[in-house]
């Protein structure tokens, strides 16, 4: 057992955890933050995607004791303190970017990370000029968005709504 302090959604949580506890299980079972979903528990579906220091992370593969002082942001932490939804959350609602909703938290967190990566100029596998990268998230086309979101599966097949939502929100996220 190891004593750790997790920094989640702007709050600190002191926990005593088995060293083998995944970040996903610590969030869901110890902190009651059930927005992050357990899908495959093998890092293959993306349902457990969250943000670790603003970058996408698969929480079922991340040991909670290894998180250290990094900031964890889950779907519960994306909305503002006054309850206003994040622009991507609003876009998913407006563009029907979900059906059953199970994958939606991971899709939204992944999209937040993907747009941030694009704003930093990071290329993807389909970027035409990898050396130059991309200009910004606002310049992503549906092909780029699909590639950047390819690690997140949706069994319902709501992909077009997801892509539309991300495309719509790309201009409003700073």
């Amino acid at each position: 057992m190891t004593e750790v302090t997790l920094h989640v959604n702007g709050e600190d949580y002191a926990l005593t955890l088995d060293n083998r506890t995944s970040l996903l299980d610590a969030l869901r079972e110890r902190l009651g933050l059930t927005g992050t979903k357990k899908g495959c528990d093998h890092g293959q579906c993306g349902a457990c995607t969250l943000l670790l220091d603003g970058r996408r992370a698969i929480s079922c593969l991340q040991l909670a004791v290894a998180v250290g002082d990094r900031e964890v942001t889950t779907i519960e932490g994306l909305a503002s303190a006054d309850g206003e939804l994040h622009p991507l959350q609003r876009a998913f609602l407006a563009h029907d970017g979900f059906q059953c909703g199970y994958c939606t938290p991971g899709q939204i967190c992944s999209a937040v990370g993907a747009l941030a990566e694009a704003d930093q100029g990071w290329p993807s596998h389909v970027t035409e000029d990898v050396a130059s990268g991309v200009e910004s998230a606002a310049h992503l086309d549906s092909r780029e968005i699909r590639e950047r979101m390819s690690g997140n599966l949706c069994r319902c097949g709501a992909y077009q709504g997801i892509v539309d939502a991300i495309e719509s929100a790309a201009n409003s996220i700073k």
Side-chain angles (χ1 to χ4, degrees):
M1 301 297 267
T2 301
E3 299 207 8
V4 298
T5 299
L6 295 179
H7 309 286
V8 182
N9 301 329
E11 297 193 29
D12 293 343
Y13 298 91
L15 301 169
T16 302
L17 298 172
D18 182 305
N19 292 334
R20 300 166 293 179
T21 304
S22 70
L23 178 56
L24 173 63
D25 288 340
L27 292 170
R28 291 182 60 80
E29 297 170 12
R30 298 296 303 279
L31 299 183
L33 296 172
T34 58
T36 306
K37 303 301 183 199
K38 183 179 279 201
C40 66
D41 213 20
H42 289 85
Q44 297 174 344
C45 72
C48 67
T49 305
L50 46 68
L51 301 170
L52 197 53
D53 284 340
R55 294 190 56 191
R56 298 185 276 182
I58 305 297
S59 63
C60 71
L61 298 180
Q62 177 72 49
L63 294 176
V65 296
V67 170
D69 288 334
R70 299 185 307 189
E71 180 63 34
V72 176
T73 305
T74 67
I75 191 70
E76 293 95 340
L78 287 181
S80 66
D82 65 359
E84 183 177 335
L85 294 178
H86 185 279
L88 266 164
Q89 291 172 308
R90 290 194 308 268
F92 266 65
L93 289 169
H95 293 276
D96 293 327
F98 58 91
Q99 283 184 29
C100 80
Y102 194 82
C103 72
T104 305
Q107 296 277 0
I108 292 173
C109 286
S110 186
V112 169
L115 294 180
E117 292 163 7
D119 278 336
Q120 294 172 20
W122 293 13
S124 78
H125 180 70
V126 299
T127 302
E128 301 246 349
D129 183 357
V130 176
S132 296
V134 295
E135 190 173 333
S136 71
H139 291 87
L140 296 180
D141 59 18
S142 63
R143 188 169 160 242
E144 276 278 356
I145 292 169
R146 287 179 189 281
E147 172 62 27
R148 290 169 187 269
M149 294 297 293
S150 64
N152 291 80
L153 304 179
C154 172
R155 290 182 178 170
C156 299
Y159 293 111
Q160 189 57 52
I162 292 168
V163 171
D164 291 346
I166 295 168
E167 230 171 346
S168 166
N171 290 317
S172 62
I173 298 175
K174 303 291 181 233

